[in-house]
Amino acid sequence: MTLLRNLTLGVGVVLAGMLLAGPSPAQNYPTRPVRMVVPFPPGAASDFLARVLGQKLTDAWGQQIVVDNRPGAGGLIGGTVVARASPDGYTIALIGQPHLTAALLSKEPPWDPLKDFSHIGLVASMPNVLTVGPGLQVNSLSELIAQVKAKPGYYNVGSAGMGSSSHLAAEMFNAAAGLKSVHVPFKLIGDIIAEMYGGRVHYYLFPLPAVMPVLREGKIRAIASGGRARAVALPQVPTMSEAGLPGFVSETYFGLLGPAGMPKSIIARINAETVKTLKTEDLKTRFQNGGADAATSTPEGFYKIQQAEQDRVKKIIKEIGLKPQF
């Protein structure tokens, strides 16, 4: 009887513990809509990726992925929304290189881009494409370089803001080609296109998805891609290396983050479904037609990518002499 009583008590303790522990946080996740913050306005490369991926995750989970554009301060505003959110998996973000540069160029950064976020996984990579407006009479990379070199400080190169990925891409291109031009930062992609079309901005390195619609319309032209290989969406456009800058690569990437402290089970759940989705032919085709390549990683792998990229960006910022902007 004593042995039976002890066994009964033991089972009772185990069952009580299981009831107190409850189910894994990821067991039924998600049970309501998930907000996916994009720290840039509609039309940006991150916005395109978020809407394509978000719709696929909505279909898979039966819960709406709501894309929430929070532009401003180079990505600091959107990042702050996520950093301060509850770490329950219902607020995540699709971010790129500006997530690192915004914090590095802030006088008093509101968060640390590595420590204050949970890393979920890589989503896409893409080339930066060198574009020119209709008023610039060049048809190749070598012609552009020759024209800009002939008049140092005369031509304007645009960007999405000080320290943005397009700004760093432009600085790296100018350094590799030996060019001196005037940097003109913008906030809205529509303003950039208008100024290029009007001839006041002469060239720009866009993340390809951000500019695919206007390239198709012929409003501006692509003369070289920063990818290691030609972009599927622009097979006729040579890489920088092919066009006269051997070994020069200008690419960017995007991935998913959440607030620090998210349960590992939920991180694993989002990562697993995202990886599964990114490997489908439909999504890969939609990304490629829009100028991006689907890319995947583990949460730990994405953290290491961010670490390495932070070191690289710090070096570039130091080399070009960028000072805190915000």
Side-chain angles (χ1 to χ4, degrees):
M1 290 293 292
T2 302
L3 178 59
L4 180 59
R5 181 173 179 275
N6 288 342
L7 286 172
T8 303
L9 286 172
V11 170
V13 169
V14 170
L15 288 173
M18 291 172 65
L19 289 171
L20 287 172
S24 163
Q27 187 171 322
N28 298 312
Y29 174 90
T31 59
R32 54 188 171 86
V34 176
R35 175 169 59 163
M36 185 181 291
V37 174
V38 173
F40 286 91
S46 51
D47 181 68
F48 160 73
L49 296 172
R51 292 184 187 280
V52 174
L53 177 61
Q55 184 57 58
K56 289 294 184 181
L57 292 178
T58 294
D59 294 341
W61 283 336
Q63 292 290 344
Q64 185 71 36
I65 306 297
V66 180
V67 176
D68 183 7
N69 296 90
R70 293 296 186 99
L76 284 179
I77 291 175
T80 300
V81 170
V82 179
R84 293 178 179 175
S86 172
D88 55 11
Y90 288 93
T91 297
I92 58 177
L94 197 147
I95 59 90
Q97 189 189 66
H99 178 75
L100 300 171
T101 54
L104 292 171
L105 292 175
S106 173
K107 295 174 184 177
E108 296 182 4
W111 36 259
D112 183 290
L114 296 179
K115 296 178 182 178
D116 292 331
F117 296 87
S118 296
H119 291 72
I120 298 170
L122 198 60
V123 167
S125 64
M126 63 197 64
N128 291 310
V129 61
L130 178 61
T131 59
V132 297
L136 196 62
Q137 300 303 307
V138 298
N139 294 306
S140 67
L141 178 64
S142 58
E143 289 180 7
L144 172 68
I145 291 174
Q147 278 204 29
V148 178
K149 273 188 175 180
K151 292 184 177 181
Y154 173 80
Y155 291 95
N156 297 328
V157 58
S159 85
M162 295 293 288
S164 64
S165 59
S166 54
H167 180 204
L168 298 187
E171 294 287 356
M172 291 172 68
F173 168 70
N174 281 351
L179 306 181
K180 293 186 183 297
S181 58
V182 178
H183 171 230
V184 183
F186 290 87
K187 291 183 178 180
L188 300 176
I189 193 168
D191 293 339
I192 301 165
I193 302 301
E195 291 300 293
M196 290 187 73
Y197 195 72
R200 289 173 289 276
V201 171
H202 302 101
Y203 64 104
Y204 192 115
L205 278 90
F206 285 96
L208 184 50
V211 76
M212 274 304 302
V214 288
L215 288 177
R216 290 193 177 108
E217 293 170 4
K219 290 183 177 179
I220 61 177
R221 293 175 291 126
I223 60 172
S225 165
R228 300 169 198 276
R230 294 193 182 196
V232 172
L234 295 176
Q236 76 283 9
V237 177
T239 65
M240 296 272 198
S241 190
E242 290 175 320
L245 282 181
F248 183 80
V249 174
S250 181
E251 297 176 322
T252 189
Y253 69 90
F254 291 84
L256 293 175
L257 297 175
M262 281 177 60
K264 289 185 178 180
S265 59
I266 288 183
I267 293 174
R269 166 88 163 124
I270 300 173
N271 176 271
E273 193 64 52
T274 300
V275 168
K276 180 180 176 182
T277 299
L278 290 168
K279 289 183 176 180
T280 62
E281 289 303 317
D282 179 56
L283 185 136
K284 286 193 289 186
T285 299
R286 290 183 68 183
F287 270 18
Q288 286 182 336
N289 288 342
D293 291 306
T296 63
S297 74
T298 63
E300 296 77 18
F302 186 43
Y303 179 81
K304 289 178 180 178
I305 289 170
Q306 287 282 83
Q307 275 188 314
E309 186 68 1
Q310 186 181 60
D311 292 340
R312 189 180 78 89
V313 170
K314 280 181 180 178
K315 183 179 179 182
I316 295 170
I317 288 174
K318 184 177 180 180
E319 287 174 351
I320 64 179
L322 274 179
K323 304 299 181 185
Q325 303 293 318
F326 315 108

